[in-house]
Amino acid sequence: MPEGPELHLASCYINTVCAGLIFSGKVEKSEVSKNSEVLFESDTYLISATSRGKEIKDREGLSQNGLQQPMDLVFRFGMSGSFKLTSVAELPKHAHLRFYTKESPHRALCFVDIRRFGRWEVHGTWQPDRGPCVMLEYEKFRIGCCLGGGSSP
């Protein structure tokens, strides 16, 4: 199961591969996924990510005309979730959520989840009972552990 460091690396991956990329169109969900539809569509948008514990928050937004409101998606990876940027011709079999680039030939940033235990939450927020992030809030994490408060993994 992906832990804090793996999700932190995944957010770094998203920010690295999406730097300078313009995305366009609808966010597409696979037919077999039981997660909710992501009703987001824009002529142009950017993607960035942050992590906190076992969650990643992706932000889609910043349309060219400034009218599109940013939307947050919070991902929980389950047992095997990950992100991959690939050509549309080589989409992974278990790409359950896809964001398409505007460039030609198109590429897709995909949430790949072989076991389908991963989840996303549209307009999501961090879990309210989540303790400090071991990667980004280490001192708070250590204090909580020392005081018996621990963290919610």
Side-chain angles (χ1 to χ4, degrees):
M1 175 178 290
E3 299 290 342
E6 289 90 356
L7 274 81
H8 177 72
L9 287 173
S11 71
C12 291
Y13 171 80
I14 291 168
N15 290 330
T16 300
V17 301
C18 293
L21 285 180
I22 305 292
F23 290 82
S24 182
K26 288 184 173 184
V27 176
E28 187 177 87
K29 180 179 82 89
S30 72
E31 292 179 10
V32 297
S33 175
K34 294 181 181 177
N35 284 303
S36 59
E37 291 284 342
V38 178
L39 301 176
F40 181 88
E41 183 174 3
S42 181
D43 290 337
T44 60
Y45 63 96
L46 305 175
I47 294 179
S48 63
T50 57
S51 67
R52 185 164 187 262
K54 291 188 175 184
E55 301 172 308
I56 285 186
K57 185 184 290 186
D58 280 359
R59 172 157 280 192
E60 290 74 36
L62 306 175
S63 72
Q64 197 168 32
N65 59 13
L67 298 177
Q68 179 71 44
Q69 292 293 317
M71 181 181 67
D72 292 334
L73 288 171
V74 173
F75 288 85
R76 295 170 186 94
F77 279 21
M79 295 292 290
S80 61
S82 66
F83 278 91
K84 183 175 184 178
L85 181 68
T86 184
S87 70
V88 171
E90 298 174 348
L91 288 176
K93 179 178 179 181
H94 298 282
H96 296 298
L97 197 63
R98 300 176 287 271
F99 307 86
Y100 293 99
T101 62
K102 192 169 188 166
E103 67 192 4
S104 186
H106 296 294
R107 292 188 285 172
L109 178 67
C110 306
F111 177 64
V112 181
D113 187 17
I114 294 169
R115 293 182 168 188
R116 287 192 256 167
F117 290 153
R119 298 281 174 253
W120 59 79
E121 183 182 339
V122 178
H123 301 293
T125 58
W126 304 123
Q127 291 178 340
D129 59 343
R130 170 99 34 223
C133 176
V134 69
M135 297 297 295
L136 303 175
E137 302 168 301
Y138 184 71
E139 290 302 319
K140 288 180 185 177
F141 176 82
R142 291 277 301 168
I143 290 170
C145 288
C146 292
L147 296 176
S151 70
S152 301

